[in-house]
Amino acid sequence: IAQAVGFGTFAGTLTSLFPGLSPAQGAVLASQFTRKIGSYGFMILVGSIGAEVSARVSVSFRGAISAAPGSIAGAVFSLSP
């Protein structure tokens, strides 16, 4: 299980940094490095990729909200209800 989580986190980092790499391709890439994790381990791997990607999106979104008040992002978020 630790191997699936570790490689899933690594693949999630790659898929969030490279826009041309989808989470499905990251899962296939990570499964090439893991040994005999089975279907249960593969589900954990895919779940950890999703968790990593959503965590990075949340951090990026939080950074966009707290942008400088004079910036375009600050103006857009201050006008929304």
Side-chain angles (χ1 to χ4, degrees):
I1 293 175
Q3 186 179 17
V5 171
F7 279 108
T9 303
F10 176 71
T13 302
L14 287 179
T15 58
S16 63
L17 291 177
F18 298 117
L21 188 65
S22 72
Q25 292 168 336
V28 170
L29 181 69
S31 67
Q32 296 297 316
F33 295 110
T34 57
R35 305 250 179 192
K36 298 180 184 177
I37 57 173
S39 59
Y40 182 71
F42 186 75
M43 288 190 295
I44 292 174
L45 185 129
V46 171
S48 63
I49 290 173
E52 178 70 25
V53 170
S54 66
R56 290 198 182 267
V57 167
S58 298
V59 169
S60 299
F61 185 69
R62 180 68 181 145
I65 288 175
S66 63
S71 68
I72 294 174
V76 169
F77 286 114
S78 66
L79 293 176
S80 62

